[in-house]
Amino acid sequence: MAATAPVGNGVGDYARNYVSRLRGGDMGSLPAVTGLIVLVILFSILQPSFHKLYNVSVLLTEGSGPIVIAMGLVFVLLLGEIDLSAGYAAGVCAAVMVRLMVGYHAPWPVSIGAALLTGVVIGVLIGLLRAKVRIPSFVVTLAFFLAFQGIALYVLNNGKGQQGNVSVTDNVINGIENNQMPLWLGWLFAAACVALYAAVKLSASLTRRRAGLSAEPNSVSALKILGVAVLVFGMVYVLNKDRAINKKAIPQNVNGKLELVRPPKLEGVPWVILLVVVLLVVWTFILSRTRYGRHVYAVGGNEEAARRAGIQVDRIRISVFVISSFMAAIGGILIASNVKSVSVDNYGGNTLLLAVGAAVIGGTSLFGGKGRVIDAIIGGLVVEVIYNGMADLVKGTNGSAVQYVVTGLVLMLAAAIDALSRRRAGAAGLG
């Protein structure tokens, strides 16, 4: 079910209510946030290069593709379903985009539009097979997992232009992951994020009070707004610094003369962060503030009760697969932008598993009815920190093996916490 605002007249009441909810099994994203903090501290101690400025931006940009795919998977998981095809669906959409761009010289709006439309069509097809034909989502999406791999290979290995590993030639698409905002725009972006968060918190409290309901204490809201402000402005401050690895001037031939030329600065907030924040705001609003969002939680919490309440369950089920595949298309574009090419290898099983792991580790329940879009971001950061930190810490041929093992154990721990929390909530009468 959707998370409800804590009640109480002061900070003490709020804290007691929060502890009570934790004891009742409502853990939310607390385990993931705690784990993220611990991992960052641990890797920073063990590997000093982990918290370097350049690595901070790498963490945020390289993880953006799987995080966006995970955002779409949250909707599917809320219904207790699974989408195993999301990784290769992202690959198919990216392949369509790059084939139109490279082989047929389509401009970037047309290429991106075709990729997004492909994602919608894929979602409708999967949703219809699940909702109308009643094939379990595990079977449907596993079949498409295999089929989409073949379709992506076919699109990339046929048609005009480069084949196989196709390079992305458009500067706009490449710039999504690799270009940065002007410094002033980064600060404006931070101010807008804090202002929006403050407006949402204050509006929610005011609405509840007008309805005669208990609302979050103003002091708690103020502390949360202050915490978000510190986090957001701190991140912009870090990203606005020059994080280029090589800052030394190197000799170059300039108009026939040998001169020392400094490399260009690498500073500013990556554009992809703006895109991820916009998607977070839009989907969070849809889930938490619209009738459609309430229906998604209702169907995920109790399908039969939702059906008896007049909710069109099949439509909701089809729609979540459409959202999942649409977000997979965006994630596929981001992955292509990050590596500046499209290859089936970039969208293999790891992409899907990391996306599912991000949603579950972040706090979205595998049993349906509980989760938020921000879970995908929190869990995605946990996964990316593990991969990045272990890559720096464990060198040699065993590096990948250790990364997989550690990520798998973290995912298993998250699933165990989810199951135990749900059991405890049921025993406490909250589930």
Side-chain angles (χ1 to χ4, degrees):
M1 58 182 156
T4 57
V7 295
N9 298 318
V11 177
D13 291 332
Y14 174 87
R16 284 189 289 272
N17 179 266
Y18 182 69
V19 172
S20 177
R21 289 189 293 119
L22 289 178
R23 290 177 176 175
D26 186 7
M27 303 289 288
S29 298
L30 179 62
V33 172
T34 304
L36 179 61
I37 295 172
V38 171
L39 286 170
V40 169
I41 295 174
L42 178 64
F43 286 130
S44 297
I45 295 173
L46 296 177
Q47 184 59 257
S49 63
F50 175 80
H51 61 271
K52 296 293 184 181
L53 290 177
Y54 179 79
N55 203 42
V56 172
S57 65
V58 169
L59 282 170
L60 297 174
T61 54
E62 286 190 351
S64 59
I67 283 174
V68 168
I69 297 174
M71 286 183 179
L73 287 170
V74 166
F75 284 81
V76 174
L77 293 172
L78 282 173
L79 262 62
E81 305 282 357
I82 190 66
D83 185 357
L84 298 177
S85 67
Y88 280 125
V92 169
C93 297
V96 169
M97 176 193 72
V98 79
R99 176 54 62 213
L100 290 175
M101 179 190 310
V102 174
Y104 300 91
H105 309 291
W108 68 265
V110 174
S111 300
I112 290 179
L116 298 179
L117 180 60
T118 301
V120 171
V121 172
I122 288 173
V124 170
L125 180 59
I126 294 174
L128 286 173
L129 290 172
R130 172 64 187 99
K132 299 302 183 181
V133 186
R134 305 298 181 187
I135 304 175
S137 59
F138 179 89
V139 177
V140 174
T141 57
L142 178 60
F144 280 117
F145 172 87
L146 300 172
F148 289 157
Q149 183 177 2
I151 293 173
L153 279 170
Y154 183 85
V155 173
L156 292 173
N157 291 329
N158 293 274
K160 298 180 180 178
Q162 187 181 2
Q163 297 182 358
N165 187 353
V166 183
S167 299
V168 177
T169 57
D170 188 89
N171 292 330
V172 173
I173 295 177
N174 284 332
I176 298 174
E177 288 264 357
N178 298 288
N179 289 352
Q180 288 75 38
M181 303 179 191
L183 301 187
W184 64 268
L185 186 57
W187 291 116
L188 183 61
F189 168 67
C193 288
V194 175
L196 178 62
Y197 180 77
V200 170
K201 296 296 292 183
L202 297 177
S203 174
S205 295
L206 184 61
T207 301
R208 290 183 64 85
R209 289 192 174 95
R210 284 178 176 175
L213 301 172
S214 297
E216 187 176 82
N218 291 332
S219 55
V220 173
S221 297
L223 287 173
K224 288 185 175 182
I225 294 170
L226 178 62
V228 169
V230 171
L231 178 64
V232 173
F233 278 100
M235 186 59 65
V236 171
Y237 173 78
V238 170
L239 292 175
N240 275 353
K241 287 182 171 293
D242 183 10
R243 53 186 184 272
I245 296 177
N246 184 12
K247 299 180 182 180
K248 294 182 179 179
I250 56 177
Q252 289 187 4
N253 190 327
V254 180
N255 297 326
K257 295 182 179 180
L258 194 63
E259 297 182 5
L260 291 176
V261 179
R262 291 187 177 276
K265 292 184 177 181
L266 179 60
E267 56 187 9
V269 179
W271 283 104
V272 68
I273 294 180
L274 173 61
L275 175 60
V276 172
V277 170
V278 169
L279 292 171
L280 170 66
V281 171
V282 170
W283 291 123
T284 298
F285 176 82
I286 289 174
L287 265 185
S288 61
R289 299 302 179 101
T290 66
R291 177 181 295 180
Y292 171 79
R294 291 192 292 272
H295 287 180
V296 170
Y297 281 114
V299 174
N302 190 319
E303 180 179 329
E304 186 57 33
R307 195 186 308 276
R308 293 184 180 183
I311 297 175
Q312 298 292 327
V313 173
D314 284 352
R315 291 183 182 179
I316 296 296
R317 180 164 282 114
I318 293 171
S319 70
V320 297
F321 283 104
V322 171
I323 292 172
S324 177
S325 295
F326 176 79
M327 292 297 285
I330 298 177
I333 294 170
L334 295 185
I335 293 172
S337 173
N338 183 54
V339 299
K340 298 184 179 182
S341 66
V342 178
S343 169
V344 174
D345 294 338
N346 295 331
Y347 302 91
N350 290 343
T351 300
L352 167 70
L353 295 177
L354 292 178
V356 174
V360 175
I361 291 170
T364 298
S365 176
L366 287 166
F367 302 97
K370 187 180 75 173
R372 302 170 302 168
V373 180
I374 198 172
D375 294 343
I377 295 180
I378 297 172
L381 289 175
V382 171
V383 172
E384 189 61 30
V385 164
I386 292 172
Y387 263 69
N388 188 287
M390 295 303 296
D392 290 337
L393 191 61
V394 183
K395 304 292 185 180
T397 57
N398 293 325
S400 296
V402 175
Q403 288 176 344
Y404 290 135
V405 170
V406 173
T407 306
L409 291 175
V410 171
L411 178 56
M412 182 65 70
L413 178 61
I417 291 174
D418 177 29
L420 293 174
S421 297
R422 202 169 185 86
R423 183 187 304 175
R424 185 155 191 162
L430 301 175

